[in-house]
Amino acid sequence: MKTIRLMTCESPIEANIIKGRLENEGIRCFVTNENFSNLMPHYNRILGSGAELMIDQDDYVKAAEILELNSQKEVTCPNCNSSNIKISLGKNWLKKTIVIVFSLFYAVPFNNINSTYLCKDCKTEFKNR
């Protein structure tokens, strides 16, 4: 059997919780990159790094159904329920842009910058939950 990556998690704790959930359903899996994720947490979610959950290729469909990975939910504005939205840096866009420039200049990761959504119709800023 071929082993594939099911998903990359923010932390090893999250990966092990999901691993336990899958093992309770009879899917064999294991977590990789736990040590690197603990030693260098500021590199998580950059270039695909983080704790990775690995499973057998034959179990992928069942695991995706259990974790609901394939359910794409459309993001809508909580104010006007419009789906005409875009991703933005939010109200602190200047501060975030300066952090990005300094991070690129000093080659230090900047994974703490979270984007927000902006409704194009009513101009409401919100985060997707």
Side-chain angles (χ1 to χ4, degrees):
M1 277 192 227
K2 185 176 179 183
T3 304
I4 61 170
R5 180 180 66 208
L6 176 64
M7 63 188 308
T8 302
C9 299
E10 183 83 22
S11 70
I13 296 170
E14 179 186 1
N16 281 304
I17 290 171
I18 295 171
K19 176 186 169 197
R21 183 174 176 195
L22 291 174
E23 286 178 342
N24 284 339
E25 296 290 333
I27 298 174
R28 295 179 354 168
C29 56
F30 62 94
V31 179
T32 62
N33 293 339
E34 284 183 89
N35 292 335
F36 183 77
S37 297
N38 283 329
L39 291 173
M40 306 293 270
H42 51 279
Y43 281 101
N44 287 350
R45 308 277 294 204
I46 297 176
L47 300 174
S49 65
E52 297 178 344
L53 195 60
M54 308 296 283
I55 62 169
D56 291 331
Q57 187 174 14
D58 297 338
D59 294 332
Y60 178 79
V61 174
K62 184 178 177 184
E65 287 175 1
I66 292 169
L67 299 177
E68 299 173 358
L69 294 179
N70 296 330
S71 62
Q72 297 291 329
K73 296 180 183 176
E74 184 175 322
V75 180
T76 58
C77 175
N79 190 27
C80 65
N81 291 327
S82 172
S83 60
N84 188 15
I85 61 169
K86 69 175 183 176
I87 297 175
S88 72
L89 290 176
K91 294 178 183 176
N92 297 330
W93 65 270
L94 182 62
K95 178 183 171 186
K96 291 178 181 179
T97 304
I98 291 170
V99 169
I100 290 170
V101 169
F102 279 116
S103 295
L104 292 173
F105 183 71
Y106 290 110
V108 176
F110 52 87
N111 68 339
N112 59 347
I113 295 178
N114 298 320
S115 60
T116 58
Y117 292 102
L118 176 67
C119 179
K120 293 181 182 178
D121 296 332
C122 68
K123 306 298 183 213
T124 303
E125 290 185 5
F126 61 97
K127 294 184 179 182
N128 193 16
R129 295 180 189 170

